[in-house]
């Protein structure tokens, strides 16, 4: 459990490499005060199957959950940025629910090589998707906003079968 305050000061972020390689970590309670999850914060936490992201979270840093054991992720409506490789190589990840009330940016390779990622809800509300964001993933259906900016290779070697634009 991460506290809301330490020595009277509000905890607003999970720092770089905070739980890097904690292979036995199963669960984490993150307080509502957290707005940023740093680079490699939960990298290679292979037994971390689920996490409740705080409602005030605005940014997930580079490789924050790379190679974690997460199965499902639901993002809040204040989220602005999912960093490069943030959820790459999450072999157990099957479903992602993106926010609908915010213009979130998905950076390069955010969900790269997530072979079991079959469903991404609310993708049609995302206006900016970085290169290879869903490459080599299991995603089969994509609904895309007609005014969205998708960089090169977003679905490169993905299991994509259906695309709806606009």
């Amino acid at each position: 459990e991460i506290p809301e305050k330490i020595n009277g000061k509000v905890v607003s972020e999970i720092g770089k490499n905070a739980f890097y390689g904690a292979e036995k970590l199963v669960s984490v309670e993150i307080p509502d005060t957290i707005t940023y999850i740093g680079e490699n914060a939960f990298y290679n936490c292979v037994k971390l199957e689920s996490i409740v992201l705080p409602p005030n979270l605005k940014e997930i840093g580079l490789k924050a959950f790379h190679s974690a054991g997460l199965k499902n992720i639901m993002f809040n409506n204040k989220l602005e940025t999912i960093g490069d490789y943030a959820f790459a190589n999450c072999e157990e990840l099957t479903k992602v629910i993106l926010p609908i009330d915010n213009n979130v940016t998905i950076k390069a390779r955010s969900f790269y090589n997530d072979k079991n990622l079959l469903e991404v809800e609310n993708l049609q509300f995302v206006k900016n998707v970085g290169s290879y964001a869903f490459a080599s993933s299991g995603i089969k259906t994509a609904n895309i906003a007609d005014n969205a900016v998708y960089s090169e290779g977003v679905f490169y070697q993905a299991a994509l079968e259906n695309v709806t634009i606009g």
Side-chain angles (χ1 to χ4, degrees), residues 39-54:
E39 179 179 334
N40 299 320
F42 295 95
Y43 189 106
N44 206 33
C45 292
V46 294
K47 292 191 178 177
L48 182 62
E49 292 183 2
S50 67
I51 191 164
V52 176
L53 297 173

Side-chain angles (χ1 to χ4, degrees), residues 4-11:
E4 288 187 12
K5 291 183 179 182
I6 296 177
N7 296 329
K9 294 184 181 181
V10 174
V11 177

Side-chain angles (χ1 to χ4, degrees), residues 25-131:
L25 183 66
V26 175
S27 67
V28 176
E29 288 185 38
I30 301 175
D32 294 351
T33 57
I34 298 294
T35 60
Y36 175 73
I37 297 176
E39 179 179 334
N40 299 320
F42 295 95
Y43 189 106
N44 206 33
C45 292
V46 294
K47 292 191 178 177
L48 182 62
E49 292 183 2
S50 67
I51 191 164
V52 176
L53 297 173
N56 294 311
L57 183 65
K58 290 183 179 179
E59 183 176 355
I60 298 171
L62 172 75
K63 298 182 182 179
F65 292 93
H66 192 288
S67 301
L70 297 172
K71 293 184 178 184
N72 298 303
I73 305 165
M74 182 173 169
F75 297 104
N76 66 58
N77 286 332
K78 291 187 180 178
L79 186 69
E80 297 171 0
T81 305
I82 300 173
D84 296 331
Y85 294 94
F87 296 92
N89 292 323
C90 289
E91 294 177 6
E92 303 299 319
L93 188 60
T94 60
K95 184 176 181 179
V96 170
I97 302 174
L98 296 167
I100 60 172
D101 292 342
N102 195 15
N103 193 9
V104 66
T105 295
I106 298 174
K107 291 198 171 182
R109 294 175 171 84
S110 292
F111 297 94
Y112 175 78
N113 203 33
D114 292 347
K115 302 268 187 226
N116 291 310
L117 178 58
L118 303 176
E119 187 177 0
V120 178
E121 286 187 24
N122 303 324
L123 188 58
Q124 71 269 24
F125 297 105
V126 178
K127 303 284 193 249
N128 191 351
V129 181
S131 59

